[in-house]
Amino acid sequence: MHLELRTRRLALDQPLVMGVLNVTPDSFSDGGRFAATEAALRQARKLAAEGAGLLDIGGESTRPGAAPVAVEEELRRVLPVIEALVREHGPPLSIDTAKPEVMLAASAAGAELINDVRALRAPGALEAAAASGCAVCLMHMQGEPRTMQSAPAYGDVVEEVYAFLADRIEACLRAGIELERILVDPGFGFGKTLEHNLLLMRGLSRFTALGVPVLVGVSRKSMIGTVTGRSVEARVAGGLALAALAVGSGARIIRSHDVAETLDAVRMAAAVTAVGDDNEHEGVQG
Ligand code: HH2
């Protein structure tokens, strides 16, 4: 299994960890911005050294209740980081955005993948993604970040998310984005209660029937906090358990803030998943 990025092919025979790089500076002064860019670059180098197979760069928080960011501001945050990282020839870069202008500018600067929590539903987003030549990650979200956690409701959460992702894959194909460039993500925590998130994890293998690689982002999320009672900084172990379960259910990319630890969990889960296949293969060969 593989994914066609903008300029290269990403092998997914072994599951990968996508490192999270948030560039959301608090200070709007030049000094603050320079510091934010430098801090993001330091973090990117750390995640790359830990073994990240992709780096996901985001200039707008999607947390519940987060304030929207203007196009110009988002570009000012992410472009210097993308430009600097492209020069360093590290892991392929993903741009976490829902805005067509940011998709186009980021891919022109060197991003290889567009990660959109709105699954290219903003006006012009499908066209921008197709024109960029990037791979795309289509994520499910019920509602809008500002209000999505107020009263999420589903009949059958797995089937509804599945139908949404199937529909968005169709929309991409119609827009000229090839199947080999598409990833899907059920969107843990995006318009979902704890029970919805747990049901999605339990039913995750269903999404492999969509015929494209599955990405999962659970790192440090509130579902871990609710079950374990841990604060955001103390949710790594809970996230590793979910990462291992996700890989066991067929996920090929795990989006995480804690790359070194997650890579170990992913590798162990992948080794367990693969051993049966190897035995069968050896058995056939005698
Ligand atoms: N989660 C977040 C952001 N982007 N993209 C995908 N494909 N899947 C996810 O689960 C996902 C995502 C939220 O996490 P984080 O980046 O830590 O927070 P914020 O958006 O506030 O920066």
Side-chain angles (χ1 to χ4, degrees):
M1 188 173 253
H2 65 268
L3 181 71
E4 289 295 341
L5 300 175
R6 187 174 54 82
T7 66
R8 48 188 143 154
R9 176 172 288 194
L10 187 68
L12 292 174
D13 306 312
Q14 292 300 319
L16 296 182
V17 177
M18 169 191 263
V20 179
L21 193 63
N22 287 322
V23 194
T24 45
D26 300 311
S27 165
F28 290 83
S29 71
D30 282 337
R33 188 169 314 284
F34 180 73
T37 302
E38 284 301 302
L41 293 177
R42 270 197 305 280
Q43 180 66 3
R45 290 174 196 129
K46 174 174 180 281
L47 297 176
E50 289 179 4
L54 287 161
L55 289 177
D56 189 36
I57 301 165
E60 177 175 31
S61 175
T62 48
R63 291 218 171 81
V69 173
V71 173
E72 297 70 27
E73 175 58 23
E74 199 174 322
L75 288 173
R76 274 198 293 269
R77 292 177 182 184
V78 298
L79 284 184
V81 176
I82 294 173
E83 285 161 2
L85 290 176
V86 163
R87 285 195 293 272
E88 296 184 13
H89 304 290
L93 305 178
S94 157
I95 177 72
D96 187 347
T97 190
K99 296 189 183 76
E101 300 89 340
V102 178
M103 294 172 188
L104 289 170
S107 67
E112 294 278 343
L113 184 148
I114 293 165
N115 173 29
D116 184 359
V117 299
R118 293 174 194 275
L120 306 176
R121 285 178 294 161
L126 268 174
E127 295 76 7
S132 75
C134 284
V136 297
C137 178
L138 307 171
M139 198 198 79
H140 175 272
M141 168 166 62
Q142 185 179 86
E144 292 291 314
R146 198 176 273 277
T147 53
M148 64 189 177
Q149 289 309 110
S150 56
Y154 298 85
D156 179 329
V157 65
V158 172
E159 288 312 313
E160 283 176 40
V161 171
Y162 185 96
F164 170 87
L165 294 173
D167 184 66
R168 296 313 297 160
I169 291 173
E170 280 303 317
C172 283
L173 296 175
R174 280 196 301 275
I177 301 169
E178 303 97 327
L179 197 62
E180 286 186 310
R181 293 192 194 278
I182 301 175
L183 284 172
V184 288
D185 178 350
F188 287 91
F190 286 85
K192 280 126 191 150
T193 63
L194 172 63
E195 190 184 13
H196 296 142
N197 288 317
L198 297 175
L199 286 167
L200 277 174
M201 186 55 74
R202 199 160 110 157
L204 194 72
S205 61
R206 170 82 174 113
F207 297 101
T208 59
L210 287 164
V212 298
V214 176
L215 182 149
V216 161
V218 283
S219 175
R220 301 184 184 177
K221 285 196 175 163
S222 67
M223 67 184 289
I224 303 168
T226 310
V227 171
T228 62
R230 302 281 184 199
S231 63
V232 172
E233 313 76 56
R235 294 179 187 167
V236 178
L240 299 183
L242 294 175
L245 284 168
V247 169
S249 296
R252 306 311 288 177
I253 303 181
I254 304 294
R255 183 180 183 277
S256 177
H257 303 84
D258 306 294
V259 169
E261 296 88 342
T262 305
L263 192 56
D264 279 1
V266 160
R267 283 184 172 153
M268 285 314 304
V272 172
T273 309
V275 72
D277 301 346
D278 289 352
N279 285 347
E280 266 171 40
H281 191 58
E282 281 163 20
V284 169
Q285 286 183 332

